[in-house]
Amino acid sequence: MNFEPLTRFMDYMSRERTPGNAIMVYLGGKCVYRYACGYAELESKTPLTGEEFFNLYSCSKITTVTAGLQLLEKGRFLLTDPLYEYIPEFREMYVKTPGGELVRAKNPITIRDLFCMSAGFSYDLNSPGFQKARALTGGTMDTASVVRCIADDPLHYEPGTRWVYSIAHDVLAGLVSIIEGKKFRDYVKEAIFDPLGIENCVYHHTPRVRERMAAQYRYEPEKGDSFDAFVNVGKDVAHVLGEEYDSGGAGITGTMPDYVKLLAALAGGGLGLNGARILSGGSVELLKLNQLSEAQMKDYNWETLAGYGYGLGVRTLTDKASAGSVGNLGEFGWCGAAGSMALMDSKLGLAMFYVQHVLNPREEYYMPRLRNVLYSCLD
């Protein structure tokens, strides 16, 4: 193995495309590479160490679908079960047509639809259902109450017919919370984080977390190519809607050395670095199996996902030629809005976690390049 090309790529990124970035790579349960460069805060020129807290945004979804698969393993539900069997408010759903008419949904929302972004939801966090939940909870927005309230909102398409990125994983977190009878954050801590020895990942900021966070920026291309294009936007996460809202889709703030432990466990077939098993090998294989129909794949058209299918909440490599990938078929993972990127390969026992802290990070540039540079270093 020779990681010099990866070091050069990281250095380039911190000079040209992000204030700072960091990465960890595990192979066969051992850390084989770690590197950080650039700044945790541009204004003070504070060096980035890789120990900082980062808002992980949609990389949080990997935890949520892991929690959901744990319940599947326990026989708490089947993927084919209608959601209304567990949350009755979703029994009678209506679809809003392009003309604005409400028609009764033909298909029930299934639990598979929550995993696969095919439930009919959007990513509108200010819909009437969310507004109702704010009023009902006095702004605390506990996850279970929110999920029940948004069942009042009309769907945007017939469940099971399309792939549309949405609040589906927030609803999945609510489902786990309701079935287990506890806050989603508590379930995750007890069933995933504690067993894996993850101590520095949270769903809500504390003073200690805020103090250790890297500054969060937004890239604004109209301001040119210099670092003046990175605007400090504070450390909050817009998707965390209240002090009791455990966002399954975007809620985790954590450190790179801690969150990579979950990725290493999934890359190891569900077995953690410390020997704790959080999923069976069969569940990991199901997780990364493409779940989308040919019709749904027409919606799954993001530039960064060429050559990938969509498993139970993760991208999964199905066509190396279309992806231009030097990696293995079945490589899987997801990314976050502020630039975090998770990559796992259970054939190699490979786990990579990359972080920066920039909204609008231009992922179409670094994602495929970072993937290819990583794999080239392993030979």
Side-chain angles (χ1 to χ4, degrees), residues 84 86-93 147-149 151-152 178:
Y84 66 70
Y86 306 89
I87 310 178
E89 287 83 353
F90 286 95
R91 181 176 291 274
E92 279 194 27
M93 300 302 295
V147 166
R148 289 188 170 102
C149 286
D152 290 348
I178 289 166

Side-chain angles (χ1 to χ4, degrees), residues 195-217:
L196 294 178
I198 295 174
E199 300 176 349
N200 290 308
C201 288
V202 299
Y203 280 89
H204 297 272
H205 294 171
T206 65
R208 181 183 76 91
V209 169
R210 300 280 286 198
E211 184 179 354
R212 288 184 53 190
M213 284 181 71
Q216 181 176 234
Y217 297 90

Side-chain angles (χ1 to χ4, degrees), residues 54-58 60 125 203 205 210 213 216 233-242 245 247 249-253 337-338 357 359:
F54 296 82
N55 293 324
L56 303 187
Y57 290 93
S58 286
S60 305
L125 301 180
Y203 280 89
H205 294 171
R210 300 280 286 198
M213 284 181 71
Q216 181 176 234
V233 293
K235 297 177 178 180
D236 292 340
V237 178
H239 296 76
V240 178
L241 305 176
Y245 190 69
S247 171
I252 296 177
T253 298
H357 217 193
L359 297 165

Side-chain angles (χ1 to χ4, degrees), residues 29-47:
K30 296 181 179 179
C31 182
V32 294
Y33 181 76
R34 177 175 179 173
Y35 190 66
C37 55
Y39 300 115
E41 185 182 76
L42 273 174
E43 294 83 355
S44 63
K45 296 296 188 288
T46 303

Side-chain angles (χ1 to χ4, degrees), residues 110 116 146 188:
T110 67
C116 296
V146 172
V188 167

Side-chain angles (χ1 to χ4, degrees), residues 102-114:
L102 294 182
V103 297
R104 180 79 177 268
K106 299 175 183 177
N107 304 328
I109 298 170
T110 67
I111 293 177
R112 185 193 305 275
D113 289 327
L114 299 183

Side-chain angles (χ1 to χ4, degrees), residues 118-130:
S118 55
F121 302 132
S122 72
Y123 232 132
D124 180 5
L125 301 180
N126 199 37
S127 70
F130 280 105

Side-chain angles (χ1 to χ4, degrees), residues 22 34 36 48-54 200 212 255-257:
R34 177 175 179 173
L48 185 74
T49 67
E51 293 289 339
E52 297 85 357
F53 279 84
F54 296 82
N200 290 308
R212 288 184 53 190
T255 66
M256 176 183 68

